[in-house]
Amino acid sequence: MAEKKRKKDLNFFERIYVVEIVKGMILTFKNMLRPKVTMEYPEVKFDPPASYRGRPVLVQENNGVERCVACGLCSRVCPALAIEVQAAETELEKERYPQKFEINMLRCIFCGFCEEVCPEEAIVMSKDYELVFTNRDDAIYGKDKLLIPVDKLKDRLEFLRNFK
Amino acid sequence: MPYLTIDDKQVEFKQGQTIIEAAVTADIDIPHFCWHPKLSISGNCRVCLVEVEKMPKLVIACSTLAAEGMIVHSKSQKTLEARNAVMEFILINHPLDCPICDEAGECKLQDYAYSHGKGESRFEEIKVRKDKRVQLGPFIKFDGDRCISCSRCIRFSDEIAGANQLTFVKRGDRVTITTFPGESFDNPYALNTTDICPVGALTNQDFRFKSRVWEMSSTKSICVGCSRGCNTEIWVRNNEILRLTPRLNEDVNSFWMCDNGRLNTFKFVNANSRVDGNYIKENDELKKVDWLYAISKTADYLKKYKGNEIAFIGSPFATCEDNFTMVKLAKALGVSNIDFAEHNIQGDQDDILIREDKTPNSLGAKLVGVKPAQNGMNLEGILRSIKEGNIKALYVMEDDVASISNEWEEALGKLNLLIVHSSNFNKTAKLANIVFSSSTFAEKNGTFVNFQGRVQRIRPAVSTIEMDRALDRMNMSRWDKFGTQFDRWMQGHKYDAKPGWKIFSLISSQLNFKMRYEMAEDVFADIAKSIEAFSSLDYDVIGEIGSQIEIKKTVAV
Ligand code: SF4
Ligand code: SF4
Ligand code: SF4
Ligand code: SF4
């Protein structure tokens, strides 16, 4: 019976190891010369692309009114039950508005379902990833923190038009 | 009986029934907007088109009489195509209002558009716009855009409410609903149209925009507005009642309830005037105390009086269970002065639902024995002898006796001891030496007997401190199921209250005799054992639509 050649059997060059060390070092030096991908957060901030899903925010039109009509669909679809909406009546043409709109950022899992379901394109995912609070109550964001002027959300709105 | 075949199913029908009626009895669902089992046939929506073999064209199931041997297809290719086409027509001018429409979630048009519609619109022209937010009556807003002109509301007003107030005006796609000149849509049953309107064109002003329907829990209950005892659903979110809707019971209220019952019988449950914990009067001021203290004080006080110095006043607002335990306690104390006050509004009655007796359970109170025992005094006698100073202690359960008349108010001031069960602060509670916080009809189990002698159940829809939605098997909304104490939508106030029977059995445990009841059901079992009219009944037998009992002439109202 012929001697069986096993995979494990190394040849001479492999056994002296030098070649492998050189190969490894080449890779290391190559990467040393490549541009850096890490950043010195928090001194340097990360500017996410439009597809990034940061905290959900409400779109505020230029006239100061929110787009949201308090339909409650985001609240219904939210898998984490993070959103509470209380509707009320207004004299404006869109007769319904959110008297109260609260997102519990401790519950939110940044899935983006709320954005996807919204019939008014009124809630969108922002680029804001810095969420800091020191107690549970502060983690519940009301309209004061959620409303963001439409101009600041252009990136995301355009992204949604193109890819949603 | 003759037979017809609907979708390969043999269906028995009565002569004179239409196809849709025969289908309903056989649990076959034929889509419909304008047809309603209690209203005349209009046949204008055309959604119930079905294919009948040997008939040249499709026919509408709501107005075609069923005939022996007829073969109906409600799901054939031809039927479905016609239905899709009808849906497309109806949707042409219907606005995309679902996000702001209160009906969403319980809307027939939404459901059928989903199950029978094409899913996209071929209509590129501009939709016809009509008036929105029209105040049709004191409690109803009308949205012309959303109306699909089914005429249910018009037929309801004419045929059920007997108030000819609504009509169509204009023609073609401009047609809309309005009240006759000078009329307001204000009949006492008007709000029923908000239930039967298949879309969100008629909305209840009181409930408008308060909540989406899927956020609430609903609990089967009974209206406490009058002795009709209409069957209702209580809709609750965050432990607060947001609306009442009628529930079908052919023997009592059919599909309907009156506007007064719908609007004015639940607001006290979450009112600021709730008692919320027990109070004892010290130095002319009511001070909050805990249950144990209030109960032992009550027992101590009651022991000081002889049986003939005490009187008990029960309540037609309270359940049979509460009244029964009160009578039991009274008799154990040797008291025979027992009665309750009736609350009738003479002349406020009609042939539809509304009754003069504005309480839900006066018959029940009588049946369980809230009446003078041997040699005991009735209400008038009690009043007289309080004034004469013979009765020194009065126990009032869930009734505002001081508001009956000035005479009563003055008399209550003369008492040495006044103990009151009350859910809200009222004149009587303010005069009391001890106030027990009692659960409202929406916070407890129990039974009412309506004017017909029908025993009906109420169930807890709102939770008090001592209850737990899950453990007490109350109906729960999605919010209730998953909420924690850190969620603001779970922090609805829970009142510190107990049902009357529980308070009485706690008091009895401090006296020499004990009533051992764990649940309202135990009390009812005791009622069934000791009172003939209720024998053979239990909570399961009464069920959702109640049980009729035999009433001897002597107690009949
Ligand atoms: S992103 Fe997801 S988890 Fe967060 S609020 Fe929206 S739906 Fe809820
Ligand atoms: S889905 Fe959109 S419109 Fe509806 S409540 Fe949420 S944010 Fe407002
Ligand atoms: S208001 Fe409602 S019930 Fe009346 S006709 Fe229009 S859709 Fe029908
Ligand atoms: S008729 Fe009586 S029981 Fe029925 S809804 Fe009106 S008040 Fe309530």
Side-chain angles (χ1 to χ4, degrees), chain B residues 301-431:
Chain B
Y301 284 160
L302 284 173
K303 276 186 227 161
K304 287 186 193 152
Y305 296 92
K306 284 197 234 94
N308 59 4
E309 291 173 336
I310 311 177
F312 276 77
I313 296 184
S315 170
F317 296 106
T319 60
C320 294
E321 287 78 355
D322 298 342
N323 280 304
F324 178 78
T325 35
M326 186 201 78
V327 173
K328 238 179 143 171
L329 177 70
K331 296 206 167 143
L333 289 167
V335 177
S336 51
N337 309 317
I338 309 169
D339 205 354
F340 71 90
E342 287 183 4
H343 296 266
N344 295 341
I345 299 182
Q346 229 70 49
D348 185 15
Q349 178 158 324
D350 62 23
D351 309 334
I352 307 170
L353 296 175
I354 301 172
R355 307 286 306 170
E356 271 177 352
D357 178 358
K358 299 298 168 205
T359 65
N361 193 36
S362 42
L363 189 49
K366 273 183 199 158
L367 285 170
V368 300
V370 187
K371 55 192 166 204
Q374 245 176 10
N375 303 325
M377 278 177 278
N378 66 4
L379 203 65
E380 278 165 32
I382 293 172
L383 175 61
R384 204 174 339 104
S385 82
I386 294 174
K387 286 202 285 193
E388 288 163 0
N390 294 333
I391 287 180
K392 300 194 175 79
L394 182 67
Y395 203 121
V396 180
M397 175 180 69
E398 295 176 44
D399 202 347
D400 189 7
V401 182
S403 295
I404 297 177
S405 63
N406 288 340
E407 206 182 351
W408 265 106
E409 197 178 348
E410 277 163 32
L412 294 189
K414 289 215 174 85
L415 289 161
N416 293 352
L417 174 66
L418 175 61
I419 305 171
V420 171
H421 289 196
S422 189
S423 59
N424 297 63
F425 274 110
N426 49 30
K427 276 189 188 169
T428 315
K430 282 179 189 152
L431 287 169

Side-chain angles (χ1 to χ4, degrees), chain B residues 33-157:
Chain B
F33 288 119
C34 71
W35 179 75
H36 188 282
K38 292 286 154 186
L39 302 177
S40 65
I41 293 161
S42 170
N44 63 44
C45 76
R46 315 311 282 183
V47 149
C48 66
L49 281 174
V50 288
E51 188 182 353
V52 178
E53 280 184 17
K54 300 209 183 84
M55 286 211 182
K57 289 203 282 183
L58 300 185
V59 296
I60 48 175
C62 69
S63 79
T64 309
L65 289 183
E68 174 74 58
M70 208 177 218
I71 300 174
V72 179
H73 300 287
S74 81
K75 295 183 180 66
S76 67
Q77 188 63 26
K78 246 171 123 179
T79 316
L80 291 181
E81 273 169 21
R83 202 177 285 157
N84 287 350
V86 171
M87 279 307 297
E88 206 175 350
F89 264 119
I90 294 178
L91 290 170
I92 277 180
N93 281 317
H94 196 81
L96 247 181
D97 261 2
C98 304
I100 57 165
C101 176
D102 264 348
E103 190 83 358
E106 51 182 15
C107 174
K108 262 182 178 316
L109 187 65
Q110 207 177 31
D111 292 350
Y112 292 162
Y114 185 68
S115 53
H116 302 294
K118 283 200 161 66
E120 58 188 61
S121 173
R122 292 185 288 162
F123 188 71
E124 286 162 1
E125 291 74 10
I126 293 170
K127 294 188 182 228
V128 177
R129 296 292 312 267
K130 292 173 194 165
D131 291 339
K132 276 175 140 28
R133 293 189 252 189
V134 182
Q135 197 77 41
L136 265 197
F139 313 116
I140 293 187
K141 269 211 176 136
F142 171 66
D143 187 311
D145 269 353
R146 294 179 196 155
C147 173
I148 58 166
S149 307
C150 72
S151 83
R152 271 184 173 191
C153 52
I154 301 179
R155 281 175 287 147
F156 171 85
S157 310

Side-chain angles (χ1 to χ4, degrees), chain A residues 7-8 45 72 78 80 88 99 101 110-111 122 126 131 135 146:
Chain A
K7 265 207 187 136
K8 237 164 104 187
K45 303 268 184 196
C78 178
Q99 191 178 47
F101 197 112
F110 309 96
C111 63
S126 67
L131 295 161
N135 64 55
L146 291 175

